[in-house]
């Protein structure tokens, strides 16, 4: 988030691609290979489910770990690590019966204690997980995050080795989708104790309970593999034996690799979309991925609300998506369009909430004048941090030009670094403004409003109205869809319109090339994450 359900935060801007005039040569050249060959945009940052905040790491986790639920081939949540579930009459206490034949890759049984340990570890403030707010629907989670209660008071309990009880603050309609997420995966405490701070920093210092194990990842390299997990409880239904992944940041290189049969799948830059839209294996779809700007409120300029409002309104979003990205749509709120619908009124969230903040040069300059007056300076310098993918750098250059042109006296420098370094820099407050992308974990507006890739939201955003609204949405109005929707709109208004804690930029699309010999590849219904579990390769 951060993600998620990751973060987002992914250094690619729009995920589009193309290759025309290539008759899918990769099909014939790879016809004898039973290895699925994949290109990705950046390195894995971590395999620790409490620490991730990027989509590359999330994809690794979604294939190497498994929680109570997973997404099936239709993008619907189904039971996975749990074989059955029951709930009480109030729908706020769930009891999961776990599979007794589920094993970790080191041979240990996957037990209810592994879930309790993982969730308590993630919610512990000392862990500093960027995804701790994802546990907020669980009893006492918010109080624990704030340091008001201890982690062992979280509403999760191991009744016995294979029975897990989950106590919620209030009923929620999307619990099964929520529990598919990486923050809810179990964790092997013995492995964590063995590796300490090194746990999850390499593939060898991690144990897995999903359909695949990660191999060959040293923590810094650009290649790794997913190998079928022989200890996985449902290994008989996992057909693909191996997937090899390599980082390819240059979109033209990725295209050539596909043309020459070196890879079976890639997402490429939008500059290729029009040129290669007619090629065999081309696919495109709109997804709930957002591009956004995050502000370091600990610094003087970006800590000023008028400076943030000025920045958020000073760039032409339509020009960005039309002339730079060649795809997607401008986004004027943190929640994307065609994503979440009110279960009672059937209204789409974004259309009901409306625009929170738009491109408005005049309003931006008014806010900028207020910021300079309060800061006592006529000339200011800001650094924009991006990842070093081609598209992220293109967006950075566009924003630099727009901000300098529309905000008198502003000088913008752009620092583009590898995604793993960018994530570390944002975690360490080493930035003024960060550009990133983020995609959802489950179909509810709160996923974006309470997360959405926003770094340090839990500690640095001080709006009592915002946090009270989120609390009401999770408790008092949990079973009243209309009031809950209205409360979430109020929260988003505080976050984006009133305080500009984050600035929405665009909503993305996913365009990719896939070799026609690949069958059963599932893509997350909320983004770009690949699920390899059902993949088969035709000869």
């Amino acid at each position: 988030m951060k993600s998620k359900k990751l973060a987002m935060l992914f250094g690619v801007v729009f995920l589009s691609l193309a290759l025309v005039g290539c008759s899918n040569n990769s099909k014939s050249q790879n016809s004898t290979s039973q290895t699925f060959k994949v290109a990705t945009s950046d390195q894995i940052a971590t395999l620790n489910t409490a620490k991730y905040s990027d989509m590359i790491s999330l994809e690794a986790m979604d294939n190497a770990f498994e929680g109570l639920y997973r997404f099936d081939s239709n993008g619907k949540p189904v039971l996975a690590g749990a074989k059955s579930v029951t709930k009480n009459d109030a729908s706020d206490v769930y009891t999961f019966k776990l599979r007794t034949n589920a094993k970790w890759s080191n041979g240990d049984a996957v037990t209810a204690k592994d879930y309790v340990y993982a969730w308590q570890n993630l919610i512990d403030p000392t862990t500093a997980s960027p995804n701790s707010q994802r546990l907020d629907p669980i009893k006492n989670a918010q109080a624990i995050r704030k340091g008001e209660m201890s982690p062992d008071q979280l509403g999760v309990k191991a009744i016995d080795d294979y029975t897990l009880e989950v106590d919620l603050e209030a009923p929620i309609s999307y619990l099964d989708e929520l529990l598919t997420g990486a923050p809810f995966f179990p964790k092997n405490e013995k492995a964590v104790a063995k590796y300490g701070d090194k746990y999850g920093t390499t593939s060898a210092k991690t144990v897995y309970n999903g359909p695949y194990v990660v191999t060959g990842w040293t923590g810094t390299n650009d290649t790794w593999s997913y190998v079928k997990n022989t200890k996985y409880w449902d290994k008989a239904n996992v057909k693909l034996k191996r997937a090899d992944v390599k980082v390819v940041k240059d979109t033209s290189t990725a295209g050539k690799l596909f043309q020459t049969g070196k890879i079976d799948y890639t997402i490429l830059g939008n500059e290729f979309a029009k040129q290669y839209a007619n090629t065999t294996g081309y696919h495109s779809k709109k997804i709930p991925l957002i591009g956004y700007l995050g502000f370091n409120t600990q610094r003087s300029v970006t800590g000023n609300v008028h400076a943030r409002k000025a920045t958020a309104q000073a760039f032409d979003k339509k020009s960005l998506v039309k002339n730079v990205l060649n795809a997607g749509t401008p986004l004027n709120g943190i929640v994307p369009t065609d994503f979440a619908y009110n279960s009672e009124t059937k209204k789409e969230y974004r259309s009901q909430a409306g625009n929170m903040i738009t491109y408005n040069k005049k309003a931006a300059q008014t806010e900028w004048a207020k910021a300079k007056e309060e800061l006592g300076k006529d000339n200011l310098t800001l650094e924009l941090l991006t990842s070093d993918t081609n598209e992220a750098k293109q967006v950075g250059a566009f924003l630099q030009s727009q901000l300098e042109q529309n905000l008198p006296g502003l000088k913008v420098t752009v620092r583009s670094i590898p995604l793993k370094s960018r994530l570390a820099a944002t975690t360490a407050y080493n930035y003024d403004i960060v550009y990133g992308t983020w995609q959802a974990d489950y179909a509810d507006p709160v996923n974006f409003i309470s997360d959405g890739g926003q770094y340090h939201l839990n500690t640095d955003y001080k709006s009592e109205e915002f946090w009270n609204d989120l609390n009401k949405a999770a408790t008092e109005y949990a079973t009243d869809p209309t009031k809950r929707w209205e409360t979430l709109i109020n929260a988003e208004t505080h976050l984006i319109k009133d305080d500009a804690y984050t600035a929405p930029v665009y909503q993305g699309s996913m365009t990719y090339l896939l070799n026609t010999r690949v069958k059963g590849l599932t893509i997350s219904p909320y983004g770009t994450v690949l699920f390899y579990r059902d993949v088969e390769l035709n000869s």
Side-chain angles (χ1 to χ4, degrees):
M1 90 156 126
K2 303 181 184 173
S3 171
K4 287 11 174 38
K5 221 128 265 170
L6 72 144
M8 296 337 121
L9 277 152
F10 198 167
V12 269
V13 182
F14 278 108
L15 303 161
S16 44
L17 89 196
L19 256 112
V20 58
C22 95
S23 56
N24 207 4
N25 293 333
S26 55
K27 180 177 179 180
S28 60
Q29 293 188 37
N30 276 333
S31 60
T32 59
S33 172
Q34 287 303 303
T35 298
F36 183 30
K37 300 176 181 179
V38 177
T40 192
S41 62
D42 225 313
Q43 299 174 350
I44 295 173
T46 181
L47 288 172
N48 186 337
T49 55
K51 294 293 188 180
Y52 83 97
S53 57
D54 67 288
M55 292 302 103
I56 308 300
S57 299
L58 176 60
E59 183 168 293
M61 293 173 191
D62 276 335
N63 288 287
F65 298 100
E66 186 172 78
L68 300 169
Y69 291 88
R70 64 174 177 86
F71 285 116
D72 67 9
S73 59
N74 296 313
K76 302 297 182 182
V78 295
L79 288 172
K83 63 181 181 180
S84 67
V85 58
T86 57
K87 60 182 179 179
N88 64 354
D89 291 340
S91 297
D92 60 1
V93 178
Y94 284 71
T95 302
F96 294 91
K97 290 292 184 179
L98 306 185
R99 299 186 187 278
T100 56
N101 59 337
K103 303 289 185 183
W104 290 100
S105 55
N106 65 359
D108 292 348
V110 180
T111 69
K113 290 181 180 179
D114 295 325
Y115 286 90
V116 173
Y117 170 72
W119 298 10
Q120 289 181 351
N121 172 255
L122 187 139
I123 200 68
D124 190 333
T126 62
T127 301
S129 171
N131 299 296
S132 60
Q133 73 287 340
R134 293 275 295 282
L135 272 64
D136 279 1
I138 300 176
K139 193 76 171 180
N140 298 331
Q142 291 189 51
I144 296 168
R145 282 201 296 106
K146 296 175 183 178
E148 298 169 358
M149 301 178 74
S150 61
D152 61 4
Q153 292 177 285
L154 185 67
V156 57
K157 182 188 304 182
I159 303 301
D160 56 43
D161 283 350
Y162 299 104
T163 305
L164 183 73
E165 183 179 278
V166 179
D167 190 358
L168 304 178
E169 288 284 359
I172 57 174
S173 60
Y174 53 90
L175 181 65
D176 53 354
E177 293 186 39
L178 182 71
L179 294 180
T180 64
F184 297 93
F185 292 161
K187 184 177 286 186
N188 186 294
E189 186 175 5
K190 183 172 76 174
V192 176
K194 178 180 178 180
Y195 298 119
D197 291 342
K198 299 298 184 181
Y199 175 82
T201 59
T202 71
S203 57
K205 291 183 171 61
T206 316
V207 295
Y208 313 93
N209 74 317
Y212 297 93
V213 298
V214 183
T215 65
W217 179 60
T218 65
T220 59
N221 56 320
D222 287 342
T223 60
W224 60 89
S225 297
Y226 301 113
V227 178
K228 184 175 177 178
N229 184 358
T230 59
K231 299 291 197 301
Y232 181 54
W233 69 271
D234 196 28
K235 60 182 180 293
N237 288 313
V238 178
K239 306 301 182 184
L240 183 70
K241 294 182 178 180
R242 183 184 182 94
D244 288 343
V245 183
K246 69 184 304 180
V247 175
V248 183
K249 294 183 180 181
D250 182 75
T251 52
S252 63
T253 300
K256 292 173 183 176
L257 289 171
F258 186 88
Q259 286 179 303
T260 56
K262 301 293 178 58
I263 56 174
D264 297 307
Y265 170 91
T266 185
I267 290 175
L268 292 178
N270 299 294
E271 65 267 30
F272 293 96
K274 292 180 181 179
Q275 184 180 355
Y276 300 123
N278 295 322
T279 191
T280 300
Y282 176 92
H283 303 268
S284 184
K285 65 175 183 174
K286 185 178 181 178
I287 58 174
L289 174 144
I290 65 168
Y292 70 95
L293 296 179
F295 300 101
N296 182 353
T297 58
Q298 297 295 315
R299 293 190 171 176
S300 60
V301 180
T302 45
N304 183 283
V305 66
H306 299 296
R308 296 196 302 272
K309 285 184 177 181
T311 304
Q313 299 177 87
F315 55 93
D316 189 339
K317 302 174 186 180
K318 290 182 180 179
S319 178
L320 174 66
V321 299
K322 180 180 179 180
N323 300 319
V324 178
L325 300 171
N326 301 307
T329 56
L331 186 62
N332 298 315
I334 195 70
V335 181
T337 61
D338 302 321
F339 167 64
Y341 295 82
N342 188 307
S343 61
E344 188 173 80
T345 66
K346 308 305 179 185
K347 290 183 178 180
E348 191 267 332
Y349 178 88
R350 187 74 271 145
S351 61
Q352 183 176 346
N355 292 330
M356 296 290 171
I357 199 158
T358 63
Y359 170 55
N360 188 324
K361 181 177 177 180
K362 183 177 179 180
Q365 291 179 343
T366 298
E367 292 290 344
W368 188 240
K370 293 178 181 178
K372 291 196 292 185
E373 181 179 357
E374 290 187 359
L375 294 167
K377 295 181 180 180
D378 286 328
N379 296 295
L380 298 167
T381 299
L382 289 173
E383 181 186 73
L384 174 62
L385 179 66
T386 80
S387 69
D388 63 352
T389 63
N390 287 346
E391 291 179 1
K393 290 190 287 188
Q394 289 171 2
V395 173
F398 174 86
L399 292 171
Q400 178 187 41
S401 174
Q402 288 275 294
L403 294 176
E404 289 185 342
Q405 177 182 326
N406 294 331
L407 301 179
L410 176 62
K411 173 67 175 177
V412 177
T413 60
V414 179
R415 178 163 59 112
S416 298
I417 57 179
L419 177 62
K420 186 173 182 179
S421 300
R422 184 182 71 72
L423 296 171
T426 46
T427 299
Y429 289 93
N430 185 16
Y431 69 103
D432 291 321
I433 306 172
V434 59
Y435 164 74
T437 63
W438 196 84
Q439 51 191 280
D441 303 290
Y442 54 93
D444 191 271
V446 75
N447 192 202
F448 282 93
I449 297 169
S450 68
D451 192 340
Q454 303 166 80
Y455 271 88
H456 309 295
L457 179 71
N458 296 328
T459 55
D460 291 359
Y461 187 44
K462 305 300 184 181
S463 170
E464 290 186 11
E465 295 90 347
F466 173 83
W467 294 111
N468 287 338
D469 284 336
L470 285 188
N471 184 58
K472 287 181 179 179
T475 56
E476 185 178 348
Y477 300 140
T479 57
D480 187 334
T482 298
K483 288 186 177 180
R484 181 175 180 271
W485 223 245
E486 293 171 352
T487 304
L488 290 176
I489 291 172
N490 287 339
E492 187 187 19
T493 300
H494 294 309
L495 183 72
I496 306 299
K497 187 175 183 178
D498 297 341
D499 298 324
Y501 186 82
T502 296
V505 179
Y506 72 90
Q507 180 171 348
S509 62
M510 180 185 183
T511 312
Y512 60 96
L513 286 175
L514 179 65
N515 193 309
T516 54
R517 80 187 185 110
V518 180
K519 306 299 179 184
L521 179 65
T522 302
I523 301 174
S524 166
Y526 308 127
T528 62
V529 169
L530 305 182
F531 300 130
Y532 299 105
R533 189 184 190 277
D534 298 320
V535 168
E536 294 186 59
L537 302 179
N538 292 340
S539 299

